[in-house]
Amino acid sequence: MKHKVISPPVRWVFRFLLLLWTFFAIYPLIFSVFQSLKDNEQFFTGKSWELPDLPLLWSNFSYTWEKYHFGSYFINTTIITAGSIVLTLILTSTTAYILARFSFRGSGFLYYIYLAGMTIPSMMIVVPMFFLFNDLHLNNSYSGLILLYSITAFPLGLLVLMGFFKSLPRELEESAVIDGASLYGVFFKVMLPLAMPGLVTISIINLLNFWNEYQYALILMNDALKYTLPVGLAFMQGEMQYRIEFGPLFAGLLISTIPVLIIYIIFQNRINDGIVAGAVK
């Protein structure tokens, strides 16, 4: 089969369009950095679209961290995100292994029931979820939010890991059993390490989702000291009322954005490779 050769003018057009798209994607972040280094006087004197005056107000970050409790919000978000990722990996890896490697009546139906969870809009379960968690005394707790995040991330993790476990040859399990490994030994020492690309992929995807999640955190958390970063940022804006401090507000936005942006830049290739590998397998 012959492949069509793209002419140089067309390639240059595509490159220009990609550069243009890159500029529009990066510009909001650069704009936020500049805004976070200004005082209110620069905003109200018509300099909101100009470069910040010297000296740069790096103190906006420390001010936001201490005055608006962003240190506590950052710790809360880290704990909830890490706990949710660990619980999601435990639930998805064990379930995907059982459904992929063992045949029993109803396994296929159970698999599609799990995947059907991806089709349910989150807004449909907000009210019943709130009353359920309230009855279970899980409102306003790390464990409640961790459990909820893990449940919502379960279908996608199951879909990705099923592809990895189905592709592994059964001879590996048989050899491990002959060597004296138990069922748990086969899973933890043989199968789980081989599915590591899928585990890394869903971990990074879930990290991005959990870190930036706002709706459930707003509903379940009513203690200001337990807010996550997205909720804390909205609370900060509301607390300012009529005296909006634009510099600290943009600083808070960057505090909540930069960590997850760095992680995504570092691991973006793993995300793409893991999803493609799982789908192909």
Side-chain angles (χ1 to χ4, degrees):
M1 180 182 294
K2 295 183 178 180
H3 297 281
K4 292 183 178 180
V5 179
I6 301 177
S7 61
V10 175
R11 285 203 302 266
W12 281 109
V13 171
F14 277 115
R15 289 176 181 175
F16 173 76
L17 292 176
L18 289 174
L19 288 174
L20 190 63
W21 176 260
T22 302
F23 170 78
F24 283 115
I26 295 178
Y27 176 76
L29 180 62
I30 299 175
F31 177 80
S32 299
V33 172
F34 288 155
Q35 303 303 84
S36 67
L37 301 175
K38 297 178 180 180
D39 56 18
N40 269 8
E41 182 180 353
Q42 297 180 57
F43 285 96
F44 293 124
T45 55
K47 295 183 179 180
S48 57
W49 295 95
E50 300 178 7
L51 294 176
D53 296 338
L54 297 176
L56 301 178
L57 292 181
W58 295 102
S59 59
N60 282 339
F61 289 89
S62 59
Y63 175 77
T64 302
W65 186 270
E66 298 174 1
K67 171 69 182 301
Y68 292 102
H69 310 292
F70 262 67
S72 299
Y73 302 156
F74 191 91
I75 295 174
N76 296 339
T77 306
T78 302
I79 293 174
I80 292 172
T81 301
S84 301
I85 290 175
V86 172
L87 182 57
T88 301
L89 291 179
I90 294 174
L91 295 177
T92 54
S93 61
T94 52
T95 306
Y97 176 68
I98 294 298
L99 293 178
R101 311 301 289 188
F102 297 91
S103 298
F104 55 91
R105 181 177 298 179
S107 60
F109 176 76
L110 187 61
Y111 171 68
Y112 288 112
I113 286 294
Y114 284 140
L115 291 189
M118 299 177 65
T119 65
I120 301 176
S122 60
M123 291 302 296
M124 290 183 61
I125 65 172
V126 167
V127 175
M129 176 272 300
F130 174 81
F131 287 107
L132 175 62
F133 276 61
N134 186 58
D135 293 338
L136 297 174
H137 304 288
L138 292 175
N139 282 351
N140 201 37
S141 65
Y142 293 149
S143 57
L145 205 53
I146 289 173
L147 179 61
L148 180 59
Y149 284 174
S150 302
I151 293 173
T152 56
F154 181 85
L156 177 60
L158 181 68
L159 179 64
V160 174
L161 290 180
M162 282 280 288
F164 281 94
F165 285 126
K166 283 185 175 181
S167 68
L168 300 177
R170 292 191 177 274
E171 288 77 10
L172 294 174
E173 295 171 284
E174 296 171 356
S175 299
V177 172
I178 292 175
D179 291 338
S182 63
L183 178 62
Y184 296 99
V186 171
F187 175 69
F188 287 106
K189 295 181 180 180
V190 179
M191 307 302 287
L192 200 59
L194 293 175
M196 190 57 65
L199 297 175
V200 173
T201 298
I202 62 176
S203 296
I204 299 172
I205 293 175
N206 289 332
L207 185 147
L208 300 176
N209 293 332
F210 298 158
W211 188 275
N212 296 314
E213 202 283 323
Y214 173 78
Q215 176 179 283
Y216 294 137
L218 176 65
I219 294 172
L220 288 186
M221 294 297 188
N222 52 40
D223 185 354
L225 295 179
K226 293 185 178 180
Y227 284 164
T228 59
L229 280 170
V231 179
L233 189 63
F235 179 76
M236 171 185 176
Q237 185 177 6
E239 192 178 25
M240 289 179 178
Q241 295 181 352
Y242 300 107
R243 54 177 185 82
I244 296 179
E245 300 173 272
F246 291 99
L249 192 60
F250 277 99
L253 177 64
L254 289 174
I255 290 173
S256 63
T257 302
I258 289 179
V260 71
L261 181 63
I262 293 175
I263 293 175
Y264 179 79
I265 292 174
I266 295 175
F267 294 104
Q268 61 176 331
N269 290 333
R270 285 184 175 270
I271 297 176
N272 298 331
D273 296 343
I275 292 178
V276 172
V280 171
K281 291 179 180 179

